[in-house]
Amino acid sequence: MKRRRGELSKEELNLIYDDSEKKEEELYKAFLRDCYIRNLRPATLNYYENELMAAKKLLSKPLISWTPNDVEEFILKSKEFMSITSVNTRLRALRSFFNFAYKKKFIKKNPMKDIKLLRDRQKLIETLNNEEIENLIKTIRKKKTFVSFRDEVILLVFLDTGVRLSELVGIEVDDVQGNKVIIRKTKNLFERTVYLSDITQQQIERYIKLRGKVETNKLFISQDNKELNRHSIQTRFQKYGKEAKISKRVSPHTFRHTMAKRMIMSGVDAFSLMTMLGHSDMTITKRYVNLWGTDIEKKHKQYGALKGLKI
């Protein structure tokens, strides 16, 4: 009889171990390859990687072997320590993954087919009022440094244009053309033009002179003349918010919401706002229009259809 020694052969290993991990690795590579082919943003790829790995870890079971019951168990466990919004964010990643797996015949049944996102109560999004914006600018101006002046200009650009943080850090000096800025690194890959008010245009021109010529062509730079990273901007504005004693969250996203609200209250129509903000469809823009109930009430009192009628 032949003596057994050494490592088991591939065929022998298959007799012992389930090859689901191997199939999942193959599926995972194919899914990411498809994402690359579709030219999804690096941030989107990171989102898929992080969410899929976290979901797999929660149930300690290969995703490729999940059933609808596993998805339901995942939801129940996730709700114990995650917000509804976060659970839905993870479910969206799983849906994309399983739709791809089913389409490419890696799996026979799609476990997400009849699973819907969790219902979540729509919350009013915080925005900054005039006093808070003015206090924030005063707080920044007290510093009297290159970095503080740069941050003041960044704040003005955020409030004036509603650009996303990722879009702002991608702006180059040549993209600034008088009272307009070309936004090239957009979320939906469609370039768009945003426009500047007189004060923002003046401050950008002053900033560019103060900035001078450096190795990078990015508009906003660090005190070491290097490109700014997004995290540093978020951190600095959180700090400014605390110094200005603003209880609300002070962040680039808050500035974007503030711009949207101010434009709506000034009478800008939804289609124009959609273009300004770079939304790919009207759904999100409509939500902005319906967000600020108390302000809409004021508008109704001011411009109500029955106002002025002697009835």
Side-chain angles (χ1 to χ4, degrees):
M1 185 176 178
K2 184 179 177 181
R3 185 177 180 184
R4 299 182 183 276
R5 60 169 56 185
E7 295 182 359
L8 294 173
S9 67
K10 184 176 179 180
E11 291 75 16
E12 289 171 326
L13 286 171
N14 286 338
L15 291 174
I16 303 173
Y17 300 111
D18 181 8
D19 65 344
S20 59
E21 287 285 356
K22 179 183 175 182
K23 288 181 180 177
E24 177 159 298
E25 184 178 351
E26 184 181 339
L27 165 59
Y28 188 67
K29 288 180 179 178
F31 175 69
L32 289 182
R33 182 173 181 272
D34 180 70
C35 291
Y36 279 113
I37 291 173
R38 290 187 287 130
N39 199 32
L40 298 187
R41 296 183 307 141
T44 304
L45 293 174
N46 289 334
Y47 155 68
Y48 281 135
E49 289 184 38
N50 294 335
E51 299 300 336
L52 293 176
M53 289 301 102
K56 178 181 177 180
K57 184 177 180 181
L58 185 62
L59 291 194
S60 301
K61 183 177 182 179
L63 294 176
I64 200 169
S65 61
W66 276 29
T67 65
N69 287 337
D70 291 318
V71 178
E72 290 176 0
E73 183 183 354
F74 161 78
I75 292 173
L76 291 173
K77 285 189 174 182
S78 297
K79 286 178 67 178
E80 294 176 2
F81 64 95
M82 293 170 65
S83 68
I84 299 300
T85 300
S86 297
V87 175
N88 283 337
T89 297
R90 194 153 290 174
L91 286 175
R92 289 188 184 95
L94 287 169
R95 177 178 289 170
S96 296
F97 179 76
F98 284 120
N99 284 346
F100 174 84
Y102 179 72
K103 180 181 178 181
K104 296 298 181 179
K105 299 182 179 180
F106 280 92
I107 55 178
K108 294 181 179 179
K109 293 183 179 180
N110 186 346
M112 287 288 294
K113 181 182 177 182
D114 298 317
I115 302 293
K116 296 181 180 180
L117 297 181
L118 307 186
R119 292 183 61 185
D120 191 13
R121 181 172 297 174
Q122 295 291 341
K123 300 176 182 177
L124 291 179
I125 295 178
E126 285 188 326
T127 57
L128 302 181
N129 58 37
N130 287 3
E131 183 180 356
E132 289 164 336
I133 293 173
E134 290 167 1
N135 285 341
L136 193 57
I137 291 177
K138 287 178 184 177
T139 299
I140 296 173
R141 284 181 176 172
K142 286 179 183 177
K143 309 292 181 182
K144 296 182 180 179
T145 64
F146 167 77
V147 170
S148 64
F149 182 64
R150 176 207 67 196
D151 291 346
E152 178 188 334
V153 177
I154 287 176
L155 174 59
L156 292 176
V157 172
F158 274 135
L159 292 173
D160 214 2
T161 67
V163 293
R164 301 176 178 90
L165 175 56
S166 59
E167 294 172 338
L168 179 124
V169 296
I171 297 173
E172 299 192 351
V173 176
D174 297 336
D175 295 331
V176 181
Q177 302 171 9
N179 72 328
K180 63 183 181 182
V181 180
I182 310 300
I183 306 299
R184 304 187 191 280
K185 295 191 175 181
T186 62
K187 186 176 182 179
N188 56 17
L189 302 181
F190 290 104
E191 291 185 6
R192 75 180 187 280
T193 300
V194 296
Y195 297 90
L196 308 172
S197 61
D198 291 341
I199 180 62
T200 305
Q201 183 182 346
Q202 290 170 7
Q203 293 298 75
I204 283 186
E205 289 172 354
R206 289 168 180 157
Y207 166 76
I208 290 176
K209 288 180 182 178
L210 186 64
R211 173 190 182 280
K213 291 186 177 180
V214 295
E215 289 185 8
T216 177
N217 198 40
K218 289 289 187 290
L219 177 62
F220 296 111
I221 57 173
S222 69
Q223 61 184 359
D224 299 319
N225 297 329
K226 302 243 177 109
E227 292 182 17
L228 274 183
N229 65 67
R230 291 183 288 181
H231 180 69
S232 67
I233 297 175
Q234 291 174 314
T235 302
R236 291 192 65 79
F237 279 109
Q238 286 175 0
K239 183 179 178 182
Y240 289 137
K242 289 179 180 178
E243 291 180 17
K245 294 181 170 48
I246 298 173
S247 59
K248 301 172 184 175
R249 183 187 180 197
V250 176
S251 71
H253 218 56
T254 304
F255 303 147
R256 182 170 165 84
H257 293 317
T258 300
M259 178 270 190
K261 176 179 179 178
R262 293 173 74 86
M263 295 301 278
I264 290 170
M265 299 313 300
S266 296
V268 171
D269 64 275
F271 288 101
S272 297
L273 183 62
M274 180 180 75
T275 302
M276 292 177 192
L277 295 174
H279 289 159
S280 55
D281 60 59
M282 186 60 72
T283 306
I284 301 175
T285 315
K286 283 181 178 178
R287 182 167 175 246
Y288 278 136
V289 174
N290 294 320
L291 273 176
W292 300 288
T294 55
D295 295 289
I296 297 299
E297 181 181 354
K298 290 177 184 177
K299 293 280 279 190
H300 182 270
K301 287 181 179 179
Q302 185 177 0
Y303 302 111
L306 299 181
K307 188 176 179 63
L309 293 178
K310 296 179 180 179
I311 53 176

